Amino acid sequence: MKDFIGSRLPAFTDEESQMVKGSYDFIALNYYTAAYVRDAPEAADGPPSVVTDPRIAYEIERDGGGSSWIRVYPAGIQEFLVYVKNKYDNPVIYISENGIDEIDDPSLTRWECLTDHWRVSYYQRHLSYLKRAISEDGVNVKGYFVWSLTDNFEWGASIYSRFGNAYIDYDNGHTRNPKLSAEWFRVHLLKPTP
């Protein structure tokens, strides 16, 4: 990284490095997908930027959501968590985002928009591997957050990429309706308060 980025990379003194080493309380991780990465020196052509600096190319086999960057690979969450455990001496971890989207399709009925069986399957499979990471591998995961509670405004896809467990009807006062995935979480994962 120092060779590729050079003077654009901030420099830390030895004292500053020691001060920040191990200073975190927890690590928050987003996990959606996995991709193959290959060395691509030619990717550095063009002005220096976050896109050209890594000098890599992603190869994603399509399998899943509406976004072109998502390849559904549930085992990857366990592999990723075990890597972080081993690399950083088993820190406290929170999964800050995990989910899958679909492209907004105005031709679908409300019922079709709300019956997201494939999203339930995505969560079931990912949570199964998350459980294995905790119970079999001893990863110190303390929390898990779905992306997203409701359909929302996505960076590059505006309102046309729907990640939510609650459907927002943009044409009818932005009403919110729980999808099947929200009901699945309520029934299978939420424990009633005594």
Side-chain angles (χ1 to χ4, degrees):
M1 186 185 311
K2 289 179 181 178
D3 291 341
F4 292 165
I5 300 175
S7 64
R8 292 183 295 121
L9 187 66
F12 291 92
T13 66
D14 289 341
E15 183 181 345
E16 289 169 329
S17 294
Q18 287 304 313
M19 187 172 63
V20 298
K21 188 175 184 179
S23 64
Y24 55 82
D25 295 318
F26 62 87
I27 296 178
L29 303 171
N30 295 352
Y31 182 84
Y32 292 94
T33 190
Y36 295 103
V37 179
R38 67 172 173 80
D39 185 37
E42 71 281 1
D45 294 342
S49 74
V50 69
V51 175
T52 60
D53 286 343
R55 300 180 188 195
I56 58 174
Y58 293 95
E59 297 174 7
I60 298 175
E61 296 174 12
R62 291 292 298 129
D63 175 22
S67 296
S68 62
W69 56 271
I70 292 182
R71 174 182 182 260
V72 178
Y73 182 61
I77 196 168
Q78 180 179 6
E79 294 166 3
F80 184 39
L81 290 169
V82 169
Y83 171 82
V84 172
K85 173 195 172 188
N86 294 334
K87 179 78 175 171
Y88 298 101
D89 196 25
N90 202 18
V92 171
I93 297 173
Y94 288 87
I95 305 299
S96 46
E97 293 183 17
N98 178 239
I100 191 166
D101 67 335
E102 79 270 10
I103 298 299
D104 184 46
D105 183 350
S107 70
L108 296 179
T109 66
R110 176 176 295 231
W111 174 253
E112 289 170 319
C113 292
L114 298 179
T115 53
D116 57 348
H117 292 283
W118 49 271
R119 182 176 281 117
V120 170
S121 174
Y122 176 93
Y123 288 135
Q124 285 174 322
R125 293 181 293 154
H126 281 77
L127 287 169
S128 171
Y129 281 101
L130 174 58
K131 182 179 178 182
R132 289 181 195 175
I134 295 167
S135 63
E136 296 173 13
D137 302 315
V139 178
N140 195 9
V141 177
K142 296 295 184 185
Y144 171 87
F145 298 88
V146 169
W147 190 260
S148 166
L149 174 64
T150 63
D151 292 329
N152 60 334
F153 186 87
E154 286 294 323
W155 290 100
S158 182
I159 60 173
Y160 304 108
S161 179
R162 293 182 176 266
F163 273 93
N165 289 343
Y167 175 79
I168 294 184
D169 189 340
Y170 299 120
D171 296 325
N172 293 297
H174 294 92
T175 56
R176 289 143 174 87
N177 299 278
K179 296 177 186 175
L180 180 65
S181 54
E183 179 66 8
W184 181 81
F185 270 104
R186 187 187 69 76
V187 170
H188 295 284
L189 298 178
L190 296 179
K191 294 180 181 175
T193 314

